[in-house]
Amino acid sequence: MRGLVVVLVWCVCWSPISAQQGYLPLSRTLEAPYAEAMHRYKTSRHTGIRPYLRRDLEGLELRDTSALPSLLPVLDQWAGGARLRGGPLAEAEFGASVGESDVVKYRTGAGAWLDWDLHEKLAFHVDGMVWNERFPDYLDTLVRATQVTPGEGYAFGDGPSFTHYDWNAYLNWHPSKYFDLTLGRGRHHFGEGYRSLFLSDNAYSYPYFKITTTFWHVRYVNLFTMMNDIRGADGVVGDFGRKFSSFHYLSWNASKRFNFAVFEGIVWQDNDPDYPRGFDINYLSPVVLYRPVEFAQGSPDNALLGFGMNVKLAKRNTLYINVMLDELVLREVREGDGWVGNKQAVQAGVVAYEAFQVPELTLRAEVNYVRPFMYTHSDTRQNYSHHGQPLAHPYGSNFVEALAVGDWRKGRWQVHERFSYAVMGQDTGGYSWGNNIFLPESARPPRDSEGRPQNFGYYHGDVLPKTILANELRAGYVVDPHGALLLEAGWQFRAALPDGGEDLITNYLRVGLSCRFRDRHPDQEVRYVLP
């Protein structure tokens, strides 16, 4: 024991630190100074795997404005330590949601972050925040329906305000130039898109173990996680249902312009009396395809497969296409009869850095199409969700979305604009038409007097279409770049226009201190009610 203490003290106090290890926070605000440089022609970074390894940021040609000091010098001191770095996280936003019964809204929060270089190859990170918040009506409805604040944990309270919290931590070990091993709690995003149809950071944080292997022009990620099914638990953590997931993501830079990616994932629960196996060791293999393993076991687990391609156009533009498959029978796809098993999702987009030769202006256009019943499963404990939220796009399944995003930075000033136009289906008659990932596939409408479910006739927008217009415009002045703290003003407009129903319009104006240390996902819609 004494020898172990001596080794630990040596690691912490005397071993040299050659470069920062670990990861950049999963925040597009903090990534912005590096994103344009990472996507340039002839760079070899694997930009579809987030959060980014700090090691990958070394050697990038950045603009001088990327190294802003804090307005409070003491925060620069705390964040500039050779081994130990940290700082506060804080929010205090106040505003008004015009036309709602409770006009006054607010969001207050506090927390901190800490990075500790234990050794030249070993890094520790922890961050956390707790919030108290009064939401605009559309988010208040969602929180009451799902018991969850989008991406930020269980919503405690009966309203009109709710308390919620989140924390992330990891221990990252870089034993050689080929491997990174990470044990932690957090979120991940696979794919080049603003949204992800593979694995998104839309949902709450979760425990994980990650193996990142880099060789030649290839990066290969093995991600093993434990996730929660919160239904029926009434917020009692010990009563949450447990399920596990295992993901592979292979990124190959085939040339200076082309990147190809393969994604696969599987979800299973540990409390099925027919399969009481906990974490299934059959899914620990770092290279095997999951579908053959699933068939070999005769298991009912939920397996998905995805493919991606990125193309660098000119010097600073990227075109990307991603396809996600839950089930695929080409004959049924060609028939066009709306077969229930046609469960696919497609994403296409383009992002332009320094658009129109304007420094630090980034523009993105993206389209997402997700078929009915995508991400669902016959056993809802194995659907593609965690903590009451989808693991991919926040709208779940059965929708098409057109998205436009613009970001501009100049010195301390930042402007962000995001517009989304989506058309989605709504269920009716107590049956599932493929819109609710928390309903089993067997809940489809009957096709005969014996109650056998209907197998055909499921199309985008069924059975009642709803249009969602969502726009967010915000402008901010950087106070502390280390904690992504901005003095910010924002306007959020949202229109929910159901076919044959009552329109819901949101105009939310706010101002105050905003923390962008983690990404928020305000584009949400109530598509299910959790018991």
Side-chain angles (χ1 to χ4, degrees):
M1 183 66 181
R2 181 179 178 182
L4 180 61
V5 172
V6 171
V7 170
L8 181 60
V9 170
W10 180 87
C11 289
V12 172
C13 299
W14 286 286
S15 58
I17 302 295
S18 59
Q20 287 190 26
Q21 302 298 326
Y23 298 88
L24 197 68
L26 195 54
S27 161
R28 294 191 183 273
T29 298
L30 292 174
E31 292 170 1
Y34 308 98
E36 183 269 333
M38 293 181 72
H39 284 82
R40 286 178 193 155
Y41 172 57
K42 292 187 178 180
T43 58
S44 58
R45 307 307 198 270
H46 296 272
T47 54
I49 302 173
R50 300 171 57 233
Y52 296 139
L53 281 166
R54 290 187 181 276
R55 189 173 64 256
D56 287 346
L57 308 181
E58 298 175 8
L60 295 175
E61 296 181 9
L62 305 178
R63 293 187 172 274
D64 294 339
T65 56
S66 63
L68 292 172
S70 174
L71 292 182
L72 302 175
V74 67
L75 299 183
D76 285 333
Q77 296 176 15
W78 294 346
R83 296 178 180 278
L84 197 63
R85 299 170 296 279
L89 302 173
E91 287 194 296
E93 297 181 315
F94 301 91
S97 195
V98 181
E100 298 182 0
S101 56
D102 292 325
V103 175
V104 177
K105 310 295 180 183
Y106 63 85
R107 174 183 169 95
T108 58
W113 65 273
L114 176 71
D115 285 332
W116 189 6
D117 294 330
L118 299 170
H119 186 265
E120 62 177 352
K121 295 182 180 296
L122 189 64
F124 172 76
H125 170 87
V126 63
D127 70 77
M129 287 193 75
V130 59
W131 298 268
N132 185 262
E133 189 166 2
R134 181 176 291 188
F135 301 96
D137 280 1
Y138 85 96
L139 281 178
D140 183 83
T141 302
L142 178 122
V143 168
R144 294 175 187 272
T146 63
Q147 310 165 40
V148 173
T149 302
E152 294 178 347
Y154 197 90
F156 296 95
D158 298 323
S161 64
F162 295 88
T163 299
H164 50 100
Y165 69 90
D166 188 22
W167 63 276
N168 303 275
Y170 64 75
L171 185 66
N172 171 247
W173 181 34
H174 180 55
S176 74
K177 67 178 181 178
Y178 301 110
F179 296 103
D180 273 272
L181 306 179
T182 309
L183 179 66
R185 184 182 190 274
R187 296 179 288 182
H188 302 81
H189 183 111
F190 291 147
E192 196 64 56
Y194 189 85
R195 314 289 196 197
S196 175
L197 302 182
F198 299 150
L199 178 63
S200 169
D201 60 332
N202 169 68
Y204 191 46
S205 301
Y206 43 81
Y208 68 88
F209 176 64
K210 180 166 64 173
I211 306 172
T212 302
T213 305
T214 306
F215 61 95
W216 189 47
H217 304 297
V218 173
R219 175 160 293 174
Y220 186 46
V221 177
N222 291 266
L223 180 64
F224 309 101
T225 77
M226 183 176 72
M227 297 184 174
N228 295 329
D229 184 344
I230 67 172
R231 290 175 294 177
D234 197 26
V236 179
V237 176
D239 293 339
F240 289 170
R242 306 297 182 191
K243 60 183 179 182
F244 299 99
S245 57
S246 185
F247 306 100
H248 293 164
Y249 189 87
L250 174 67
S251 173
W252 172 38
N253 288 326
S255 73
K256 295 177 181 179
R257 292 195 183 274
F258 288 90
N259 172 275
F260 297 95
V262 179
F263 169 87
E264 58 178 348
I266 192 158
V267 181
W268 72 97
Q269 88 290 338
D270 68 344
N271 57 345
D272 189 330
D274 296 326
Y275 295 90
R277 62 191 189 278
F279 192 98
D280 196 324
I281 61 173
N282 291 282
Y283 298 126
L284 284 177
S285 172
V287 295
V288 71
L289 291 172
Y290 288 139
R291 189 62 86 174
V293 171
E294 187 191 28
F295 284 138
Q297 295 184 104
S299 79
D301 300 334
N302 187 13
L304 303 100
L305 182 65
F307 302 93
M309 180 182 71
N310 307 331
V311 183
K312 292 181 179 178
L313 307 174
K315 292 184 178 180
R316 294 181 173 88
N317 305 326
T318 300
L319 173 70
Y320 54 92
I321 299 174
N322 297 304
V323 178
M324 184 71 153
L325 307 175
D326 197 342
E327 294 183 33
L328 177 67
V329 178
L330 290 177
R331 175 176 57 82
E332 298 292 352
V333 173
R334 288 193 297 266
E335 290 292 332
D337 293 333
W339 180 49
V340 63
N342 280 344
K343 300 196 293 185
Q344 302 96 33
V346 180
Q347 178 185 83
V350 61
V351 57
Y353 296 93
E354 296 199 1
F356 306 111
Q357 298 184 345
V358 177
E360 300 188 82
L361 173 65
T362 301
L363 298 178
R364 181 190 298 265
E366 181 175 292
V367 175
N368 297 289
Y369 172 74
V370 179
R371 284 271 308 154
F373 296 101
M374 184 66 188
Y375 305 115
T376 63
H377 197 62
S378 55
D379 186 339
T380 60
R381 296 172 298 178
Q382 297 177 167
N383 67 353
Y384 205 59
S385 72
H386 162 61
H387 214 86
Q389 285 193 274
L391 281 172
H393 196 289
Y395 288 156
S397 61
N398 193 2
F399 68 90
V400 61
E401 178 195 40
L403 179 72
V405 183
D407 281 287
W408 176 74
R409 296 179 298 122
K410 186 175 179 59
R412 292 187 181 275
W413 291 101
Q414 298 185 6
V415 179
H416 173 89
E417 161 65 21
R418 185 184 67 256
F419 175 78
S420 169
Y421 174 87
V423 178
M424 59 188 65
Q426 300 179 90
D427 293 330
T428 186
Y431 299 109
S432 172
W433 292 81
N435 308 304
N436 183 352
I437 67 173
F438 288 90
L439 284 179
E441 297 169 356
S442 58
R444 308 190 304 273
R447 72 173 187 264
D448 54 31
S449 59
E450 297 181 8
R452 290 178 293 185
Q454 180 175 310
N455 293 327
F456 297 94
Y458 300 100
Y459 301 98
H460 161 250
D462 284 346
V463 60
L464 292 174
K466 175 186 281 190
T467 299
I468 303 291
L469 302 176
N471 187 84
E472 184 182 45
L473 173 63
R474 63 177 192 261
Y477 187 79
V478 176
V479 176
D480 175 31
H482 314 293
L485 179 65
L486 292 83
L487 181 60
E488 188 176 77
W491 169 57
Q492 190 173 334
F493 171 82
R494 183 181 183 274
L497 311 173
D499 189 14
E502 182 180 355
D503 297 346
L504 176 63
I505 308 297
T506 299
N507 269 294
Y508 179 32
L509 302 170
R510 56 178 177 77
V511 65
L513 289 174
S514 176
C515 181
R516 297 289 169 180
F517 197 79
R518 65 189 74 216
D519 286 337
R520 303 184 205 170
H521 299 276
D523 299 342
Q524 303 284 335
E525 172 61 18
V526 179
R527 311 206 72 190
Y528 45 86
V529 176
L530 299 185

